[in-house]
Amino acid sequence: MSGPYIVRGSVSLPEAELMWRFSRSSGPGGQHVNTSDSQVELRFDLAATEALPPVWKERALERLAGRLVDGVVVVRSSEHRSQWRNREAAAVRLAALLAEATAPPPKPRRPTRIPRGINERRLREKKQRSDTKRGRSGRGWT
């Protein structure tokens, strides 16, 4: 494997807490398609981990509540034909998922007023358009 998978900053996923499972992938393949276990299932016990800071852990548990099964997040990968590349893809996907789930909430939007000039210009253009359309009618041409 290519070392520790960095979530964000100096926080990384420890290899000891990652649980791997391999099975046969579906779909087309070559001659050894029925003998190689290339699909990868990666499990990470988010509820029991000590690798994440407590604030991040709470945030991730809250945001990933729909994906968790008993506090464990599961990521599958079967897009590559080799188990090695599927392992890499699953680990990178898990790190990206955790990075997104532990990100701080965005700053609240500060409402701003519409400048008076913009509003006046809009009303002036509406009036001009109205006058143009009113001038097209046949009234007053007798």
Side-chain angles (χ1 to χ4, degrees):
M1 297 306 298
S2 64
Y5 296 97
I6 295 170
V7 176
R8 216 173 52 244
S10 62
V11 178
S12 61
L13 298 175
E15 190 68 38
E17 292 187 19
L18 301 178
M19 294 167 280
W20 300 92
R21 222 175 89 190
F22 308 102
S23 60
R24 293 188 183 133
S25 282
S26 62
Q31 291 179 334
H32 75 239
V33 69
N34 296 325
T35 59
S36 63
D37 292 338
S38 61
Q39 179 176 333
V40 173
E41 183 179 285
L42 175 58
R43 296 169 165 269
F44 181 67
D45 194 350
L46 187 58
T49 188
E50 295 297 322
L52 299 176
V55 177
W56 288 19
K57 190 170 158 181
E58 282 177 35
R59 206 180 287 157
L61 285 169
E62 181 183 319
R63 290 184 182 166
L64 297 175
R67 270 193 84 139
L68 298 177
V69 179
D70 297 329
V72 177
V73 64
V74 179
V75 175
R76 281 195 182 90
S77 176
S78 62
E79 61 260 18
H80 302 291
R81 287 178 63 178
S82 95
Q83 186 188 100
W84 181 263
R85 288 178 67 191
N86 280 331
R87 283 176 67 124
E88 291 288 324
V92 167
R93 199 177 300 156
L94 177 66
L97 181 73
L98 289 175
E100 187 179 329
T102 59
K107 291 181 180 176
R109 182 186 171 275
R110 210 177 92 212
T112 56
R113 287 186 56 219
I114 298 171
R116 195 173 79 200
I118 289 177
N119 212 17
E120 287 175 356
R121 186 179 67 206
R122 181 181 62 86
L123 293 174
R124 191 171 50 246
E125 287 172 357
K126 277 176 66 111
K127 180 86 171 136
Q128 196 174 12
R129 184 78 177 142
S130 170
D131 291 342
T132 303
K133 288 189 171 191
R134 194 178 306 120
R136 291 179 187 157
S137 70
R139 287 184 283 149
W141 282 76
T142 54

